[in-house]
Amino acid sequence: QVQLVESGGGLVQAGGSLRLSCAASGRTFSTYFMSWFRQAPGQEREFVAVISWSGDLTRYADSVKGRFTISRDNAKNTVYLQMNTLKPEDTAVYFCAADVRYSSTTYEPNYWGQGTQVTVSS
């Protein structure tokens, strides 16, 4: 079992920044692809970003490219999402997720955190 706990969400004005953190349990953290998803009101859960075990592979949703950066520190069992130039449409609950596999077309992680709320006001 892998436990994931998100933190760092909050209320910010458009154009501002937030950094989300996800603390993971277990020695196997370094072997997992780590990702962020989000779910806005009235919307389905959507992919935001993913990073490989080594950090050499990263992928971002088109809506956040150039604004968000995913990173990880395996020694600290932590993954981060730096969010800059936030827009009202970024408002959502953000979830951390983990899995040993990744697919660019069908990615359904097995382990999920409970989420942290990000609200961007205009």
Side-chain angles (χ1 to χ4, degrees):
Q1 294 288 341
V2 176
Q3 292 184 327
L4 305 172
V5 181
E6 304 96 335
S7 63
L11 175 64
V12 65
Q13 288 188 300
S17 299
L18 286 172
R19 189 180 77 157
L20 305 183
S21 298
C22 174
S25 66
R27 184 185 64 84
T28 58
F29 171 82
S30 62
T31 70
Y32 281 67
F33 289 87
M34 301 296 298
S35 61
W36 291 94
F37 288 72
R38 67 186 183 185
Q39 187 166 20
Q43 303 290 321
E44 294 185 345
R45 182 175 293 176
E46 65 175 341
F47 168 81
V48 175
V50 65
I51 186 168
S52 64
W53 67 270
S54 65
D56 63 340
L57 182 149
T58 57
R59 296 286 186 271
Y60 298 91
D62 289 341
S63 59
V64 307
K65 285 181 180 177
R67 300 188 298 119
F68 291 11
T69 302
I70 189 171
S71 62
R72 68 191 296 166
D73 186 337
N74 291 341
K76 297 183 180 296
N77 290 345
T78 302
V79 63
Y80 305 95
L81 185 68
Q82 179 67 46
M83 306 185 295
N84 298 326
T85 319
L86 283 161
K87 304 175 180 179
E89 51 263 45
D90 294 319
T91 295
V93 177
Y94 283 71
F95 298 89
C96 178
D99 206 310
V100 297
R101 302 177 182 179
Y102 170 73
S103 171
S104 61
T105 57
T106 306
Y107 184 44
E108 299 180 1
N110 288 131
Y111 301 99
W112 295 84
Q114 292 299 306
T116 185
Q117 177 71 46
V118 172
T119 302
V120 184
S121 64
S122 59

